[in-house]
Structures are given as C-alpha cells and as structure tokens.
Amino acid sequence: MTAKHHTVMADGTYMVHGWCLIVAIDGDGGEVLVWQWCAHESRAAYITLFSRIPVPDVPVTDGLRGVRAACRQAWLGTRIQRCPVARAARHARGPDL
C-alpha cells in the first residue's frame, strides 16, 4: 500500500480495443499511484482501484456517478472535489451531447 496523499485524482480513458483504463494519481506530483483495466467505468471497478490506496484528504473526480459512489463507499466521509476542467467541458458540450 502506498503512503497517504493529500489529493488523489481518479479518472478513466477508453482504449481503441474497447477496454477502459482507470487510474488514480497523486494530485500534487502527478505520480500514478494505481491503475487497472476494466470493461467500463463503474462503481465496482473504482472500489477495487480505491481499495489499493489509503484514504486521501480530497479525492478529485470528473463527477460521474460510478466514481462518486465508489468514493463514498470506499472512503466514507471524505469530501469529494469535482474536477473543474471536467465540469467545464461537460457544460460546454451542452445537454444534448
């Protein structure tokens, strides 16, 4: 298990072969803390990822339901920060996209 980090950023990206790579990185230094492959971003996938690192002071996510639910379950009582870049991008795309 890694040392406790003040800020942990978690997100996923989909690869051309259809799998999703989810990662948790140190929000201060950018170091990849843990990563794993999954079929899609889900609460279960993120809970598995989060079980491998200590509870951070502040998890930062894109705000999607699966990762938020996983943060609440794996790191009970931790204040979740939504990434302002992800929020702005989602807002710029509009409700139809």
Side-chain angles (χ1 to χ4, degrees), residues 14-81:
Y14 288 86
M15 301 297 172
V16 73
H17 54 67
W19 282 87
C20 178
L21 178 66
I22 57 175
V23 297
I25 66 169
D26 174 46
D28 294 322
E31 171 193 3
V32 174
L33 304 173
V34 292
W35 61 270
Q36 76 177 35
W37 291 106
C38 57
H40 61 276
E41 290 181 87
S42 68
R43 181 175 56 95
Y46 277 109
I47 287 172
T48 301
L49 186 80
F50 295 159
S51 71
R52 297 167 36 212
I53 55 177
V55 178
D57 295 322
V58 181
V60 180
T61 75
D62 58 11
L64 297 179
R65 282 178 272 168
V67 69
R68 280 193 336 239
C71 284
R72 283 193 219 99
Q73 184 173 340
W75 299 328
L76 190 63
T78 303
R79 187 181 132 262
I80 302 165
Q81 172 67 47

